[in-house]
Amino acid sequence: MAHSIDSWVRHGVEMRKPLLIHPNLSDAQRIIVIGGGLSGLTFALRCAEKFPERTIDLVESSPRLGGVIETWSEDEWRCDVSVNASRPHPAVWRLIHDLGLDDEWHVTNDYASNRWVHFNGQRVKVGPALAMKIGIFRTIRGVRNARKGGRPVSELIPNTSIADALTLGIVNDISINVDADTLFPGLTRFGHEPPVSRSKLRRLVNDSYPSKAPPRRSMASLDGGMEQLIDSIVARLEESPKVKIHLNSRMRNPEEAASNFQVPIHSVVWATPNFPDLGFKKERTKIRIFAWGELAKSSIAPIGYGMLIPTGGPVSGILHESDIHHGSRAPEGQRLFRIMVPENRWNGELNQIHAHMNDLHGQKNPTIFKEIAEREIPRYLPGHLQKLNDLQVPCTWIGWGASGPSITHVVDEVERIVERMADYRI
Ligand SMILES: Cc1cc2nc3c(=O)[nH]c(=O)nc-3n(C[C@H](O)[C@H](O)[C@H](O)COP(=O)(O)OP(=O)(O)OC[C@H]3O[C@@H](n4cnc5c(N)ncnc54)[C@H](O)[C@@H]3O)c2cc1C
């Protein structure tokens, strides 16, 4: 089905992806949402706004809402343990705006935009010099090849170190294991083509932001951390008389949810990263997150966004948290770095991470060094998006296992589903 220009302007490249919506969800008067992460919460919010007469039950297995999103803090240190900033997408900006969070939402600091890859033992800035290392002809060949569909990112970007750095930074997995269509559907030309040229579409999308459009390739974050987003959505849901939240309640599958709440299965919205019995069950990797502080006056790491480290030790990425954000993340005179450690690269000894950080940052004595979280990340194996395209789901499935790894994917998917329910032209 071709999509209208209005839909392309609202959702951009996300229109290339399939929606796993059950056709009868639109008729459901009582909707059961399973999973209280960003996707389940945003769905409940958007659904309650659009259909205030419908009853919504949101069921979460753990004692807290937010899923992987959480902001750790200790004294004046503050660090998001999962998403810390969003790349531009009007759906995320609409959510922030509708929640009244515009004043807390800022584009990340311009002076901290440099990114590096640790390449052949050196810090190499992401830019033309790094692109030269891949080679223009090899890149063109890689893109052509990836357009055949279902290919790994390692074929799209024919330089293993650079491709691995990128995919480790986005989905905690090496590039041979990651679906190019899921990460770069515009580049691989997955799905439908937009009805206007890319540059025209970009202009129209830019004009559709509820506030000033963010600069291209910028990021934006909440001053108090991303947990603010969760708190604001939850506060809205608590004001909605037709929304009920159930914590500490795990549903084994959509059938159990339908039976417990005595609704047809098409009234269930499954908002967890894995969908039982559809072959996505165990596809996850694990990552450990650490906070690392340095005295600003003795810190020699350049000011910037962060560095990706494809090989050579347990640390796969370092984000310069106190450089990036508009809001404060570290005590006066200190710098805060967030360290990402894939579980399969670490021997479990803190000394190993300490030694690797010493190599990378030239710092023996961090002012803070502690594990702040452990998270699981869905896998997006080659062919993932094609597999979703062909999937018959017994009920609607949303969230990052279905839509893609970023909050732009998750938040936009929810908007598209609620629009489809309201029978908008999609
Ligand atoms: C380390 C890390 C870094 C990230 N960085 C970025 C970034 O920089 N930019 C970006 O855009 N995104 C980033 N993300 C991704 C972003 O955080 C996710 O896209 C988003 O938060 C996913 O939300 P979700 O609701 O789909 O899933 P989840 O947050 O996983 O929520 C699912 C919820 O369902 C519950 N649940 C699971 N099973 C059941 C069950 N059977 N019954 C009831 N409840 C159940 C879980 O307890 C959980 O609360 C990052 C993620 C991680 C982990």
mmCIF file of all heavy atoms in Angstrom, residues 264-293:
data_model
loop_
_atom_site.group_PDB
_atom_site.id
_atom_site.type_symbol
_atom_site.label_atom_id
_atom_site.label_comp_id
_atom_site.label_asym_id
_atom_site.label_seq_id
_atom_site.Cartn_x
_atom_site.Cartn_y
_atom_site.Cartn_z
ATOM 1 N N PRO A 264 -10.984 -10.218 23.953
ATOM 2 C CA PRO A 264 -10.443 -10.970 22.818
ATOM 3 C C PRO A 264 -8.957 -10.663 22.635
ATOM 4 O O PRO A 264 -8.500 -9.571 23.031
ATOM 5 C CB PRO A 264 -11.255 -10.464 21.618
ATOM 6 C CG PRO A 264 -12.077 -9.332 22.095
ATOM 7 C CD PRO A 264 -11.971 -9.212 23.573
ATOM 8 N N ILE A 265 -8.210 -11.586 22.033
ATOM 9 C CA ILE A 265 -6.759 -11.405 21.935
ATOM 10 C C ILE A 265 -6.387 -10.163 21.114
ATOM 11 O O ILE A 265 -5.350 -9.540 21.349
ATOM 12 C CB ILE A 265 -6.077 -12.690 21.406
ATOM 13 C CG1 ILE A 265 -4.572 -12.593 21.651
ATOM 14 C CG2 ILE A 265 -6.409 -12.964 19.962
ATOM 15 C CD1 ILE A 265 -3.845 -13.892 21.582
ATOM 16 N N HIS A 266 -7.257 -9.745 20.191
ATOM 17 C CA HIS A 266 -6.900 -8.559 19.397
ATOM 18 C C HIS A 266 -6.931 -7.270 20.228
ATOM 19 O O HIS A 266 -6.494 -6.220 19.761
ATOM 20 C CB HIS A 266 -7.802 -8.429 18.152
ATOM 21 C CG HIS A 266 -9.246 -8.169 18.453
ATOM 22 N ND1 HIS A 266 -10.241 -9.080 18.176
ATOM 23 C CD2 HIS A 266 -9.861 -7.106 19.001
ATOM 24 C CE1 HIS A 266 -11.408 -8.573 18.553
ATOM 25 N NE2 HIS A 266 -11.201 -7.383 19.058
ATOM 26 N N SER A 267 -7.432 -7.352 21.477
ATOM 27 C CA SER A 267 -7.432 -6.170 22.361
ATOM 28 C C SER A 267 -6.116 -6.024 23.117
ATOM 29 O O SER A 267 -5.929 -5.069 23.872
ATOM 30 C CB SER A 267 -8.559 -6.280 23.389
ATOM 31 O OG SER A 267 -9.789 -6.411 22.739
ATOM 32 N N VAL A 268 -5.214 -7.014 22.945
ATOM 33 C CA VAL A 268 -3.930 -6.971 23.663
ATOM 34 C C VAL A 268 -2.885 -6.268 22.797
ATOM 35 O O VAL A 268 -2.793 -6.517 21.591
ATOM 36 C CB VAL A 268 -3.450 -8.406 24.001
ATOM 37 C CG1 VAL A 268 -2.062 -8.379 24.641
ATOM 38 C CG2 VAL A 268 -4.461 -9.103 24.913
ATOM 39 N N VAL A 269 -2.110 -5.375 23.436
ATOM 40 C CA VAL A 269 -0.961 -4.753 22.762
ATOM 41 C C VAL A 269 0.281 -5.226 23.504
ATOM 42 O O VAL A 269 0.469 -4.904 24.681
ATOM 43 C CB VAL A 269 -1.074 -3.212 22.781
ATOM 44 C CG1 VAL A 269 0.193 -2.574 22.222
ATOM 45 C CG2 VAL A 269 -2.293 -2.768 21.991
ATOM 46 N N TRP A 270 1.101 -6.018 22.831
ATOM 47 C CA TRP A 270 2.283 -6.621 23.463
ATOM 48 C C TRP A 270 3.441 -5.640 23.303
ATOM 49 O O TRP A 270 3.909 -5.387 22.196
ATOM 50 C CB TRP A 270 2.575 -7.971 22.799
ATOM 51 C CG TRP A 270 3.520 -8.824 23.581
ATOM 52 C CD1 TRP A 270 4.835 -9.023 23.315
ATOM 53 C CD2 TRP A 270 3.216 -9.586 24.753
ATOM 54 N NE1 TRP A 270 5.376 -9.863 24.268
ATOM 55 C CE2 TRP A 270 4.404 -10.220 25.160
ATOM 56 C CE3 TRP A 270 2.052 -9.784 25.512
ATOM 57 C CZ2 TRP A 270 4.474 -11.045 26.283
ATOM 58 C CZ3 TRP A 270 2.120 -10.605 26.629
ATOM 59 C CH2 TRP A 270 3.320 -11.225 27.005
ATOM 60 N N ALA A 271 3.891 -5.037 24.430
ATOM 61 C CA ALA A 271 4.905 -3.972 24.359
ATOM 62 C C ALA A 271 6.180 -4.383 25.089
ATOM 63 O O ALA A 271 6.756 -3.619 25.858
ATOM 64 C CB ALA A 271 4.335 -2.679 24.944
ATOM 65 N N THR A 272 6.617 -5.610 24.857
ATOM 66 C CA THR A 272 7.888 -6.071 25.431
ATOM 67 C C THR A 272 8.821 -6.442 24.269
ATOM 68 O O THR A 272 8.351 -6.707 23.168
ATOM 69 C CB THR A 272 7.698 -7.294 26.363
ATOM 70 O OG1 THR A 272 7.789 -8.477 25.587
ATOM 71 C CG2 THR A 272 6.368 -7.260 27.092
ATOM 72 N N PRO A 273 10.151 -6.462 24.516
ATOM 73 C CA PRO A 273 11.078 -6.633 23.387
ATOM 74 C C PRO A 273 11.004 -7.986 22.693
ATOM 75 O O PRO A 273 11.453 -8.119 21.574
ATOM 76 C CB PRO A 273 12.461 -6.458 24.023
ATOM 77 C CG PRO A 273 12.247 -5.967 25.392
ATOM 78 C CD PRO A 273 10.840 -6.200 25.781
ATOM 79 N N ASN A 274 10.478 -8.997 23.347
ATOM 80 C CA ASN A 274 10.383 -10.296 22.680
ATOM 81 C C ASN A 274 8.929 -10.732 22.590
ATOM 82 O O ASN A 274 8.132 -10.461 23.492
ATOM 83 C CB ASN A 274 11.188 -11.350 23.436
ATOM 84 C CG ASN A 274 10.741 -11.467 24.867
ATOM 85 O OD1 ASN A 274 10.866 -10.527 25.632
ATOM 86 N ND2 ASN A 274 10.195 -12.595 25.234
ATOM 87 N N PHE A 275 8.613 -11.387 21.485
ATOM 88 C CA PHE A 275 7.238 -11.857 21.321
ATOM 89 C C PHE A 275 7.259 -13.374 21.455
ATOM 90 O O PHE A 275 7.844 -14.062 20.625
ATOM 91 C CB PHE A 275 6.702 -11.452 19.943
ATOM 92 C CG PHE A 275 5.212 -11.465 19.869
ATOM 93 C CD1 PHE A 275 4.499 -10.279 19.797
ATOM 94 C CD2 PHE A 275 4.509 -12.664 19.896
ATOM 95 C CE1 PHE A 275 3.113 -10.289 19.745
ATOM 96 C CE2 PHE A 275 3.132 -12.681 19.852
ATOM 97 C CZ PHE A 275 2.427 -11.491 19.770
ATOM 98 N N PRO A 276 6.624 -13.924 22.514
ATOM 99 C CA PRO A 276 6.720 -15.363 22.745
ATOM 100 C C PRO A 276 6.247 -16.162 21.535
ATOM 101 O O PRO A 276 5.295 -15.782 20.870
ATOM 102 C CB PRO A 276 5.776 -15.603 23.927
ATOM 103 C CG PRO A 276 5.478 -14.272 24.494
ATOM 104 C CD PRO A 276 5.751 -13.249 23.462
ATOM 105 N N ASP A 277 6.959 -17.235 21.265
ATOM 106 C CA ASP A 277 6.573 -18.211 20.239
ATOM 107 C C ASP A 277 6.676 -17.700 18.807
ATOM 108 O O ASP A 277 6.151 -18.314 17.903
ATOM 109 C CB ASP A 277 5.147 -18.748 20.476
ATOM 110 C CG ASP A 277 4.975 -19.221 21.908
ATOM 111 O OD1 ASP A 277 5.966 -19.734 22.456
ATOM 112 O OD2 ASP A 277 3.887 -19.047 22.463
ATOM 113 N N LEU A 278 7.327 -16.561 18.595
ATOM 114 C CA LEU A 278 7.483 -16.111 17.212
ATOM 115 C C LEU A 278 8.949 -16.127 16.789
ATOM 116 O O LEU A 278 9.322 -15.526 15.794
ATOM 117 C CB LEU A 278 6.905 -14.705 17.023
ATOM 118 C CG LEU A 278 5.380 -14.621 16.986
ATOM 119 C CD1 LEU A 278 4.942 -13.184 16.792
ATOM 120 C CD2 LEU A 278 4.789 -15.481 15.883
ATOM 121 N N GLY A 279 9.790 -16.768 17.592
ATOM 122 C CA GLY A 279 11.189 -16.908 17.196
ATOM 123 C C GLY A 279 12.059 -15.723 17.572
ATOM 124 O O GLY A 279 13.209 -15.650 17.175
ATOM 125 N N PHE A 280 11.540 -14.754 18.359
ATOM 126 C CA PHE A 280 12.368 -13.620 18.766
ATOM 127 C C PHE A 280 12.756 -13.737 20.242
ATOM 128 O O PHE A 280 13.281 -12.825 20.824
ATOM 129 C CB PHE A 280 11.604 -12.302 18.579
ATOM 130 C CG PHE A 280 11.362 -11.966 17.138
ATOM 131 C CD1 PHE A 280 10.203 -12.365 16.514
ATOM 132 C CD2 PHE A 280 12.301 -11.264 16.419
ATOM 133 C CE1 PHE A 280 9.973 -12.063 15.190
ATOM 134 C CE2 PHE A 280 12.082 -10.959 15.093
ATOM 135 C CZ PHE A 280 10.919 -11.357 14.476
ATOM 136 N N LYS A 281 12.432 -14.913 20.835
ATOM 137 C CA LYS A 281 12.446 -15.025 22.286
ATOM 138 C C LYS A 281 13.803 -14.773 22.946
ATOM 139 O O LYS A 281 13.916 -13.979 23.862
ATOM 140 C CB LYS A 281 11.941 -16.408 22.668
ATOM 141 C CG LYS A 281 11.349 -16.438 24.040
ATOM 142 C CD LYS A 281 10.655 -17.739 24.265
ATOM 143 C CE LYS A 281 10.150 -17.789 25.693
ATOM 144 N NZ LYS A 281 9.430 -18.999 25.952
ATOM 145 N N LYS A 282 14.846 -15.447 22.466
ATOM 146 C CA LYS A 282 16.112 -15.379 23.215
ATOM 147 C C LYS A 282 17.135 -14.479 22.543
ATOM 148 O O LYS A 282 18.309 -14.527 22.853
ATOM 149 C CB LYS A 282 16.679 -16.785 23.360
ATOM 150 C CG LYS A 282 15.825 -17.672 24.237
ATOM 151 C CD LYS A 282 16.620 -18.883 24.709
ATOM 152 C CE LYS A 282 15.786 -19.751 25.627
ATOM 153 N NZ LYS A 282 14.786 -20.540 24.919
ATOM 154 N N GLU A 283 16.670 -13.685 21.587
ATOM 155 C CA GLU A 283 17.619 -12.894 20.810
ATOM 156 C C GLU A 283 17.980 -11.611 21.552
ATOM 157 O O GLU A 283 17.434 -10.549 21.279
ATOM 158 C CB GLU A 283 17.033 -12.566 19.429
ATOM 159 C CG GLU A 283 16.503 -13.757 18.673
ATOM 160 C CD GLU A 283 17.613 -14.696 18.212
ATOM 161 O OE1 GLU A 283 18.776 -14.475 18.576
ATOM 162 O OE2 GLU A 283 17.294 -15.647 17.497
ATOM 163 N N ARG A 284 18.890 -11.713 22.523
ATOM 164 C CA ARG A 284 19.297 -10.532 23.289
ATOM 165 C C ARG A 284 20.784 -10.569 23.595
ATOM 166 O O ARG A 284 21.363 -11.642 23.698
ATOM 167 C CB ARG A 284 18.539 -10.482 24.621
ATOM 168 C CG ARG A 284 17.152 -9.931 24.482
ATOM 169 C CD ARG A 284 16.373 -10.111 25.740
ATOM 170 N NE ARG A 284 15.678 -11.382 25.730
ATOM 171 C CZ ARG A 284 15.012 -11.879 26.752
ATOM 172 N NH1 ARG A 284 14.971 -11.219 27.888
ATOM 173 N NH2 ARG A 284 14.396 -13.036 26.666
ATOM 174 N N THR A 285 21.405 -9.394 23.761
ATOM 175 C CA THR A 285 22.777 -9.339 24.272
ATOM 176 C C THR A 285 22.730 -8.591 25.601
ATOM 177 O O THR A 285 21.754 -7.893 25.886
ATOM 178 C CB THR A 285 23.722 -8.584 23.314
ATOM 179 O OG1 THR A 285 23.267 -7.230 23.219
ATOM 180 C CG2 THR A 285 23.768 -9.212 21.937
ATOM 181 N N LYS A 286 23.804 -8.744 26.379
ATOM 182 C CA LYS A 286 23.837 -8.050 27.676
ATOM 183 C C LYS A 286 24.920 -6.991 27.682
ATOM 184 O O LYS A 286 25.983 -7.179 27.084
ATOM 185 C CB LYS A 286 24.130 -9.053 28.788
ATOM 186 C CG LYS A 286 22.913 -9.847 29.174
ATOM 187 C CD LYS A 286 23.151 -10.583 30.465
ATOM 188 C CE LYS A 286 21.891 -11.355 30.833
ATOM 189 N NZ LYS A 286 22.135 -12.380 31.816
ATOM 190 N N ILE A 287 24.642 -5.910 28.391
ATOM 191 C CA ILE A 287 25.637 -4.838 28.505
ATOM 192 C C ILE A 287 25.678 -4.340 29.948
ATOM 193 O O ILE A 287 24.648 -4.311 30.627
ATOM 194 C CB ILE A 287 25.308 -3.682 27.517
ATOM 195 C CG1 ILE A 287 26.462 -2.689 27.437
ATOM 196 C CG2 ILE A 287 24.018 -2.961 27.861
ATOM 197 C CD1 ILE A 287 26.404 -1.775 26.235
ATOM 198 N N ARG A 288 26.890 -4.020 30.412
ATOM 199 C CA ARG A 288 27.051 -3.421 31.748
ATOM 200 C C ARG A 288 27.409 -1.950 31.550
ATOM 201 O O ARG A 288 28.207 -1.616 30.668
ATOM 202 C CB ARG A 288 28.183 -4.094 32.514
ATOM 203 C CG ARG A 288 28.070 -5.599 32.631
ATOM 204 C CD ARG A 288 26.939 -5.979 33.565
ATOM 205 N NE ARG A 288 26.969 -7.402 33.841
ATOM 206 C CZ ARG A 288 27.458 -7.931 34.970
ATOM 207 N NH1 ARG A 288 27.940 -7.165 35.919
ATOM 208 N NH2 ARG A 288 27.449 -9.233 35.139
ATOM 209 N N ILE A 289 26.849 -1.100 32.408
ATOM 210 C CA ILE A 289 27.070 0.342 32.287
ATOM 211 C C ILE A 289 27.802 0.833 33.541
ATOM 212 O O ILE A 289 27.377 0.526 34.662
ATOM 213 C CB ILE A 289 25.730 1.117 32.192
ATOM 214 C CG1 ILE A 289 24.667 0.347 31.393
ATOM 215 C CG2 ILE A 289 25.929 2.524 31.668
ATOM 216 C CD1 ILE A 289 24.881 0.214 29.964
ATOM 217 N N PHE A 290 28.861 1.598 33.340
ATOM 218 C CA PHE A 290 29.660 2.116 34.451
ATOM 219 C C PHE A 290 29.747 3.639 34.383
ATOM 220 O O PHE A 290 29.746 4.211 33.291
ATOM 221 C CB PHE A 290 31.090 1.554 34.394
ATOM 222 C CG PHE A 290 31.156 0.074 34.641
ATOM 223 C CD1 PHE A 290 30.847 -0.825 33.627
ATOM 224 C CD2 PHE A 290 31.519 -0.426 35.886
ATOM 225 C CE1 PHE A 290 30.901 -2.200 33.849
ATOM 226 C CE2 PHE A 290 31.575 -1.794 36.117
ATOM 227 C CZ PHE A 290 31.264 -2.686 35.099
ATOM 228 N N ALA A 291 29.825 4.262 35.557
ATOM 229 C CA ALA A 291 30.109 5.705 35.624
ATOM 230 C C ALA A 291 31.587 5.855 35.960
ATOM 231 O O ALA A 291 32.121 5.130 36.813
ATOM 232 C CB ALA A 291 29.250 6.349 36.701
ATOM 233 N N TRP A 292 32.246 6.796 35.294
ATOM 234 C CA TRP A 292 33.689 7.026 35.493
ATOM 235 C C TRP A 292 33.892 8.536 35.571
ATOM 236 O O TRP A 292 33.519 9.267 34.650
ATOM 237 C CB TRP A 292 34.445 6.417 34.308
ATOM 238 C CG TRP A 292 35.918 6.674 34.216
ATOM 239 C CD1 TRP A 292 36.523 7.796 33.729
ATOM 240 C CD2 TRP A 292 36.980 5.779 34.578
ATOM 241 N NE1 TRP A 292 37.883 7.657 33.764
ATOM 242 C CE2 TRP A 292 38.201 6.427 34.280
ATOM 243 C CE3 TRP A 292 37.028 4.498 35.124
ATOM 244 C CZ2 TRP A 292 39.448 5.833 34.507
ATOM 245 C CZ3 TRP A 292 38.270 3.909 35.343
ATOM 246 C CH2 TRP A 292 39.461 4.564 35.048
ATOM 247 N N GLY A 293 34.443 9.014 36.673
ATOM 248 C CA GLY A 293 34.645 10.457 36.828
ATOM 249 C C GLY A 293 36.118 10.813 36.804
ATOM 250 O O GLY A 293 36.970 10.013 37.209
#
